């Protein structure tokens, strides 16, 4: 008998008490929990995302779509990046003003080659406000999973408000399990030393998130266009 | 069968030793108290915690009741997505499968992301015996591995080590495993994390085989989920060419949608975060992204025996958040090592004796390593009634009776008069003679009071009668004081 048959046989014998007409899945799970927590306007949802990202030490910037090339160039320069990983499908304008040498995301690159690159710029599939989470699904402008892992500096562009959802349930509805997914909530961290959160272990130690789109910041009226507000540092 | 902590003394002896170790107690107390407060805040942030907990508990319960169906569905989905599924009835078989898979790649080392299942089966030792070196890459696991130590907590296996001890371990042991610790390494957590980053990076970059566990497996889609913080998981899951995941049968959930519950409850309940830094989800293999070969090893190793007990089976709902450890007054004083398994604390006290049986002294004494205060049940995000299972297992130790071992129906003999019973009684006495272990649990205990059995059933009843189970007051003094400001508001 194979281990498969052995294990499945044990499972069936162990469940002898479960009746044939046991409550089916659809009726067995109460779904009375919230689809999202609280009622917010699109703007407030974006604001909550900014707060929660900042709370986990991501640095949040905002600009209009047209200002992305200038802002991204500035962030890369401030970091002193000499090279930047570029996933397929990233709008070419985003890096039009950037000085670092672009390194295309290729299947053949070795991990050592990736390790020599300073920064990476990507978009995302969806962002979750309540948890301060970015989800990448390998779609256009997001690249292979490893490119947002090995370099020490990740700039992620979120189109607001359209890519932002309030909650985890809403995020899962938008995502496809057939794609490899990476959920990112702040820079890499550990709580393994006396249960204190320390940022920066194996993933990028600096995560910068750029909100692209025209969303007036709550209480931020009067901020001149083109001066990106940064929170989180 | 590979049982990791062979020759462990029974719980009371090990606990007594831990009590005598002031550093260990200090480390543990500091850590568990910190996380307790943070967790309460993270849970309070979501208004529907009770509903999420109920849904999580029902999803798991339903899955367990139809486990055969969901496992077959999972196998089909994973296979359709390009993965290969292997079944292992016990630890030895699982180790054989993983060893063979690694050998087939021609490699002699693997990088590992923290996995309870692979610790449970002693995979590292099995690989070592076959000439394959396994590198632990989770910071806490690294500390344990370098310190030639044992894990003492589910989430933070090195919780018993403080920063100065960690620095010393890094200084003395890192060089033997690869890149040495930086000169003049201090004990600041940031510097220690940096040292681990440097030490492990060379291993990640050259790794060809990764070994992981899984937090969840989705039957309908074949999706695997690994929840982590440091990014070492992502390294192991995406850089190697071959990925081998070892997961207990009970990790399966029916649908993609079910993840919406656990991705909310697990991070808040374990690390007290809204969300952990990284969660990876993959379904089979993806062309040009990540490993080209994916193997899933489904592990029984006592799980079906546990499933056979209608009361005890709820232990298989556990999502390994470790909240029950952090609130447990007995764990806080006894330390994780006293539980003699990779599963310490309240969940270990009900899981180990079911996975391994109650024949050994340590396993027979574990159901007594509790004051039944109920704090563990209160915090459990899948509502496992740990006190109920403890009572059930005490009954089994004392009275014997029918059980299933390695798939076979057996009738256990009562432990009465045997070494196992004596060990169990010593554990019980240890609890009752450490009133501080009882007191700390009280505040939560009275909230869970209805759960607390007044007497043990069967012959156990006589045992409890003669041994004075201490009463848990309806409302502890401190709560009464806070509520009434010392009686002033009592009349309102
Ligand atoms: S028993 Fe419950 S509280 Fe304890 S680790 Fe498992 S899920 Fe968490």
């Amino acid at each position: 008998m194979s281990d498969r048959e052995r294990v499945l046989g044990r499972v069936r014998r162990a469940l002898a008490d479960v009746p044939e007409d046991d409550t089916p899945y659809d009726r067995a799970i109460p779904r009375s929990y919230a689809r999202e927590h609280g009622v917010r306007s699109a703007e407030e949802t974006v604001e909550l995302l900014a707060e929660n990202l900042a709370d986990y030490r991501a640095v949040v910037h905002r600009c209009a779509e047209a200002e992305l090339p200038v802002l991204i160039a500035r962030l890369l320069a401030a970091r002193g990046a000499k090279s930047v990983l570029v996933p397929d499908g990233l709008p070419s304008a985003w890096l039009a003003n950037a000085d670092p040498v672009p390194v295309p995301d290729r299947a053949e690159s070795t991990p050592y080659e990736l390790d020599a690159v300073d920064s990476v710029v990507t978009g995302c599939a969806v962002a979750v406000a309540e948890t301060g989470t970015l989800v990448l699904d390998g779609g256009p402008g997001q690249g292979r999973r490893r490119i947002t892992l090995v370099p020490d500096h990740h700039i992620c562009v979120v189109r607001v408000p359209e890519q932002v959802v309030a909650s985890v349930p809403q995020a899962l509805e938008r995502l496809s399990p057939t794609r490899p997914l990476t959920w990112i909530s702040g820079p890499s961290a550990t709580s393994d030393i006396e249960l204190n959160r320390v940022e920066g272990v194996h993933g990028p130690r600096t995560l910068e998130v750029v909100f692209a789109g025209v969303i007036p910041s709550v209480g931020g009226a009067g901020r001149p266009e083109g001066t990106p507000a940064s929170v989180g540092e | 069968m590979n049982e990791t902590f062979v020759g462990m003394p029974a719980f009371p002896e090990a606990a007594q030793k831990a009590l005598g170790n002031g550093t260990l107690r200090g480390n543990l107390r500091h850590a568990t108290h910190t996380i307790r407060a943070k967790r309460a805040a993270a849970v309070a942030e979501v208004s529907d915690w009770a509903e999420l907990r109920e849904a999580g508990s029902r999803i798991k319960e339903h899955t367990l009741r139809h486990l055969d169906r969901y496992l077959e569905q999972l196998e089909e989905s994973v296979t359709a997505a390009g993965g290969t599924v292997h079944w292992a009835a016990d630890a030895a078989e699982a180790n054989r499968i993983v060893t063979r898979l690694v050998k087939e790649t021609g490699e002699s080392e693997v990088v590992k992301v923290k996995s309870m299942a692979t610790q449970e089966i002693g995979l590292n030792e099995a690989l070592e015996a076959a000439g394959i070196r396994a590198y632990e890459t989770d910071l806490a696991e690294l500390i344990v591995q370098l310190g030639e130590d044992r894990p003492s907590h589910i989430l933070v296996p090195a919780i018993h080590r403080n920063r100065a001890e960690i620095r010393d371990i890094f200084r003395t042991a890192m060089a033997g495993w690869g890149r040495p610790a930086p000169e003049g390494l201090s004990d600041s957590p940031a510097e220690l994390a940096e040292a681990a980053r440097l030490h492990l990076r060379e291993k990640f970059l050259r790794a060809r085989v990764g070994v992981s566990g899984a937090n969840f497996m989705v039957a309908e889609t074949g999706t695997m989920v690994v929840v982590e913080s440091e990014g070492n998981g992502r390294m192991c899951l995406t850089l190697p060419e071959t990925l081998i995941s070892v997961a207990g049968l009970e990790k399966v959930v029916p649908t993609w949608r079910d993840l919406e519950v656990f991705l909310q409850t697990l991070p808040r309940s374990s690390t007290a975060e809204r969300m952990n830094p990284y969660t990876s989800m993959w379904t089979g293999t993806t062309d040009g992204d990540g490993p080209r070969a994916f193997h899933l090893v489904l592990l029984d190793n006592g799980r079906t025996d546990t499933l056979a007990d209608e009361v005890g089976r709820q232990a298989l709902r556990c999502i390994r958040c470790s909240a029950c450890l952090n609130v447990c007054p007995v764990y806080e004083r006894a330390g994780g090592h006293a539980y003699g398994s990779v599963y310490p604390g309240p969940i270990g006290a009900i899981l180990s004796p079911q996975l391994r049986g109650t024949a050994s002294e340590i396993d027979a004494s574990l159901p007594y390593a509790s004051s039944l205060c109920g704090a563990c049940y209160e915090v459990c995000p899948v509502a496992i009634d740990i006190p109920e299972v403890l009572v059930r297992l005490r009954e089994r130790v004392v009275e014997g009776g029918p059980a299933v071992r390695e798939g076979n129906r057996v009738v256990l003999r009562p432990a009465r008069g045997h070494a196992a019973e004596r060990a169990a009684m010593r554990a019980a006495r240890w609890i009752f003679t450490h009133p501080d272990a009882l007191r700390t649990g009280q505040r939560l205990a009275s909230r869970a009071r209805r759960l607390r059995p007044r007497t043990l059933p069967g012959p156990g009843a006589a045992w409890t009668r003669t041994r004075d189970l201490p009463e848990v007051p309806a409302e502890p003094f401190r709560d009464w004081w806070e509520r009434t400001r010392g009686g002033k508001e009592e009349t309102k």
Side-chain angles (χ1 to χ4, degrees):
Chain A
M1 191 168 27
S2 73
D3 270 44
R4 181 182 189 278
E5 302 318 314
R6 185 172 297 131
V7 172
L8 282 171
R10 287 180 184 177
V11 171
R12 291 188 184 113
R13 284 196 300 281
L15 294 172
D17 62 296
V18 178
E20 278 288 318
D21 61 345
D22 197 43
T23 318
Y25 173 80
D26 292 337
R27 285 192 278 118
I29 321 297
R31 302 281 181 184
S32 52
Y33 52 86
R35 299 308 296 168
E36 64 181 286
H37 296 90
V39 184
R40 279 176 217 93
S41 67
E43 286 162 26
E44 287 165 337
T45 304
V46 170
E47 215 42 48
L48 181 66
L49 174 64
E51 263 169 46
N52 284 335
L53 281 165
D55 193 32
Y56 285 156
R57 306 280 191 309
V59 186
V60 180
H61 311 273
R62 301 151 201 252
C63 71
E65 175 96 29
E67 297 159 356
L68 274 172
V70 174
L71 176 57
I72 291 174
R74 183 172 70 77
L75 298 178
L76 289 168
R79 172 84 185 181
K82 305 235 170 348
S83 53
V84 58
L85 263 161
V86 186
D88 272 356
L90 194 82
S92 56
W94 290 7
L95 287 170
N97 293 26
D99 288 332
V101 179
V103 179
D105 167 27
R106 298 181 315 145
E108 310 79 63
S109 303
T110 66
Y112 293 98
E113 286 163 2
L114 299 180
D115 194 37
V117 184
D118 297 314
S119 300
V120 58
V121 176
T122 70
C124 68
V126 65
V128 192
E130 286 181 7
T131 56
T133 305
L134 311 166
V135 189
L136 275 64
D137 73 355
Q142 298 170 56
R144 292 174 175 77
R145 285 171 285 174
R146 57 187 193 167
I147 68 163
T148 53
L149 172 65
V150 182
D152 205 14
H153 177 221
H154 180 194
I155 298 174
C156 183
V157 177
V158 183
R159 291 176 196 272
V160 297
E162 58 272 29
Q163 287 191 311
V164 184
V165 297
S167 67
V168 170
Q170 292 169 347
L172 282 162
E173 274 169 14
R174 281 209 195 180
L175 294 163
S176 165
T178 60
R179 292 177 159 281
L181 302 175
T182 305
W183 298 54
I184 300 172
S185 309
S188 118
T190 181
S191 304
D192 281 354
I193 302 164
E194 299 179 0
L195 279 174
N196 288 319
R197 181 165 167 135
V198 182
E199 270 77 27
V201 198
H202 305 296
R205 284 179 287 191
T206 307
L207 173 65
E208 300 198 79
V209 185
V210 180
F211 288 4
V214 218
I215 280 280
S217 126
V218 172
R223 183 168 60 81
E225 280 265 337
T227 4
S230 299
V231 278
E233 256 186 343
Chain B
M1 172 148 328
N2 194 336
E3 282 163 9
T4 316
F5 299 172
V6 228
M8 256 314 277
F11 180 84
E13 284 75 31
Q16 198 55 42
K17 221 173 118 210
L19 258 186
N21 182 339
T23 312
L24 178 123
R25 282 176 64 202
N27 295 351
L28 213 53
R29 194 183 147 76
H30 170 73
T32 53
H33 283 246
T34 310
I35 195 76
R36 249 186 241 183
K38 285 193 204 156
R39 181 194 170 278
V43 165
E45 235 182 59
V46 281
S47 49
D48 58 342
W49 184 259
E51 287 81 7
L52 285 167
R53 180 177 188 246
E54 177 68 10
S57 147
R58 296 279 195 89
I59 291 169
K60 284 285 188 175
E61 192 59 25
H62 168 83
T63 314
L64 291 171
R65 290 172 72 84
H66 303 276
L67 193 60
D68 49 337
R69 178 147 64 78
Y70 288 119
L71 287 172
E72 284 182 310
Q73 192 188 6
L74 175 76
E75 179 185 41
E76 217 171 279
S77 315
V78 169
T79 310
T84 310
V85 177
H86 310 261
W87 300 72
D90 54 29
E93 179 60 15
N95 288 333
R96 261 196 303 276
I97 294 169
V98 179
T99 306
R100 174 172 58 77
L101 291 171
V102 178
K103 290 224 147 149
E104 281 170 9
T105 67
E107 294 295 314
S108 59
E109 62 178 44
V110 302
V111 284
K112 278 188 70 199
V113 49
K114 180 167 147 17
S115 139
M116 305 295 306
T118 60
Q119 282 174 30
E120 175 192 323
I121 62 177
L123 177 65
N124 291 8
E125 293 74 14
L127 289 174
E128 196 75 55
I132 299 161
R133 194 151 225 210
Y135 294 111
E136 293 293 351
T137 65
D138 185 79
L139 181 50
E141 294 289 357
L142 177 71
I143 297 165
V144 168
Q145 188 171 47
L146 293 176
E148 294 178 10
D149 202 351
R150 286 172 178 164
S152 65
H153 189 276
I154 293 179
L155 187 71
V156 197
I159 198 169
H160 58 290
R161 298 288 197 183
N162 63 31
R163 56 183 79 181
E165 294 175 279
I166 296 169
R167 180 205 51 208
D168 295 344
I169 291 170
F170 280 11
R171 275 189 186 159
T172 43
M174 265 187 175
W177 287 81
R179 183 172 174 152
E183 280 294 315
L185 178 68
S186 83
D187 65 359
S188 93
E191 271 190 45
L192 295 171
E194 168 74 11
R197 178 183 171 97
L198 294 170
H199 178 78
L200 288 171
R201 184 140 298 217
E202 60 172 20
K203 298 191 166 54
F204 290 134
L205 296 181
R206 69 165 188 244
R208 310 294 284 268
V209 183
V211 174
S212 83
N215 292 94
F216 307 100
M217 314 187 279
V218 181
E220 70 169 351
T221 61
T223 308
M224 309 286 298
V225 182
V226 164
V227 172
E228 54 136 351
S229 295
E230 297 167 15
N232 61 311
R234 293 181 64 193
M235 293 276 182
C236 297
L237 299 171
T238 55
L239 295 184
E241 286 165 8
T242 302
L243 171 61
I244 304 165
S245 301
V246 182
L249 304 177
E250 78 284 14
K251 296 290 166 194
V252 65
V253 296
T255 70
W256 175 248
R257 184 182 178 189
D258 294 330
L259 296 177
E260 71 188 21
V261 174
F262 301 112
L263 289 181
Q264 294 192 80
T265 51
L266 178 56
R268 288 181 197 268
S269 208
S270 62
T271 44
E273 292 167 302
R274 288 183 202 101
M275 191 60 95
N276 49 289
Y278 297 130
T279 297
S280 295
M281 300 184 185
W282 73 97
T283 305
T285 54
T286 306
D287 278 343
D289 185 353
R292 280 192 296 232
F294 168 56
H295 297 274
L296 170 60
V297 181
L298 293 173
L299 177 71
D300 179 349
N301 204 35
R303 284 163 179 75
T304 51
D305 295 346
T306 308
L307 189 68
D309 190 285
E310 287 174 43
V311 174
R313 92 167 43 126
Q314 59 186 308
L316 297 174
R317 286 188 217 150
C318 176
I319 57 173
R320 312 273 188 267
C321 73
S322 73
C324 58
L325 279 64
N326 298 332
V327 296
C328 179
V330 176
Y331 172 82
E332 185 187 323
R333 281 159 188 81
H337 293 150
Y339 294 81
S341 109
V342 294
Y343 304 109
I347 181 60
I350 61 168
L351 200 53
S352 307
Q354 296 200 87
L355 293 178
R356 305 191 297 206
T358 47
S360 73
E361 287 192 32
I362 176 72
D363 289 318
S365 63
L366 282 178
Y368 293 87
S370 166
S371 64
L372 300 180
C373 83
C376 47
Y377 167 76
E378 288 284 293
V379 297
C380 178
V382 285
I384 299 172
D385 193 339
I386 294 176
E388 184 189 18
V389 182
L390 286 167
V391 170
R392 166 71 161 189
L393 293 172
R394 289 180 186 191
E395 185 187 33
R396 187 184 284 177
V397 170
V398 174
E399 286 181 55
V404 178
R405 293 307 310 150
E406 292 175 42
N408 302 313
R409 296 204 170 278
V410 294
V411 177
L412 300 174
R413 282 186 311 175
R416 211 164 303 131
H418 292 263
E421 191 202 20
R422 287 195 296 275
M425 297 310 120
R426 283 200 306 280
R429 207 174 311 125
W430 187 87
I431 300 295
F432 293 135
T433 51
H434 289 80
D436 53 338
L438 290 168
R439 238 190 332 264
T440 312
Q442 270 182 15
R443 200 166 58 84
L444 273 159
S446 61
R447 283 176 198 151
R449 195 163 177 259
R450 57 177 184 80
L451 298 159
R452 190 164 175 278
R454 262 174 223 101
T455 53
L456 299 180
W463 187 84
T464 40
R465 264 201 304 281
T466 54
R467 276 153 185 97
D468 293 339
L469 271 179
E471 263 305 308
V472 176
E475 184 180 37
F477 174 76
R478 210 176 43 187
D479 276 12
W480 171 81
W481 177 269
E482 277 174 14
R483 186 171 61 78
T484 63
R485 307 258 160 242
K488 284 190 203 115
E489 293 171 25
E490 187 81 307
T491 47
K492 281 189 184 169

